[in-house]
Amino acid sequence: MISFAIITPGEIALELAARLKACRLARNLTQEGLSKRAGVPLGTLKKLERTGAISLVSFIRLLVALKEEVALEGLLKERDFKSLDQVLAEPKTSKRGRIT
């Protein structure tokens, strides 16, 4: 599995497109069959699988048609983020050891 932390946004898009295509093939669906189920134009699906480019709404429609919408659950979950003021108020910690 590829770590999204070390690749470009374009590479992430291609990786997601490849995963969606693998999911489609695992369910024995043609591009045409999936596009009809999802209500996404066939050309849009073909472009996604070739280039990784697609609108977010169309991508979500494809995931729902594949019954993979649960995969979206972990995206951008609410976290306990600190405000900039909180970060700046924290005491600084040494990033290096001392020579003794």
Side-chain angles (χ1 to χ4, degrees):
M1 184 170 290
I2 293 176
S3 169
F4 287 161
I6 59 170
I7 60 178
T8 68
E11 290 169 325
I12 292 171
L14 285 171
E15 176 63 23
L16 289 174
R19 290 179 188 184
L20 189 128
K21 180 179 181 179
C23 190
R24 173 180 66 78
L25 293 173
R27 287 169 174 73
N28 204 26
L29 286 170
T30 63
Q31 287 178 325
E32 186 176 2
L34 177 57
S35 73
K36 283 182 181 178
R37 285 183 182 198
V40 172
L42 178 58
T44 299
L45 178 55
K46 286 181 176 184
K47 183 178 178 184
L48 167 66
E49 291 187 0
R50 192 177 63 253
T51 68
I54 194 169
S55 76
L56 180 58
V57 171
S58 292
F59 187 73
I60 292 170
R61 285 181 179 168
L62 291 166
L63 289 176
V64 170
L66 290 167
K67 302 194 182 318
E68 290 291 335
E69 63 272 17
V70 173
L72 298 170
E73 288 288 327
L75 293 177
L76 303 173
K77 276 187 169 181
E78 279 192 46
R79 292 181 174 84
D80 189 21
F81 290 111
K82 297 178 184 176
S83 71
L84 183 57
D85 291 332
Q86 290 171 317
V87 171
L88 293 174
E90 289 179 355
K92 292 184 179 185
T93 56
S94 176
K95 303 259 193 253
R96 298 185 224 174
R98 279 193 228 163
I99 299 174
T100 56

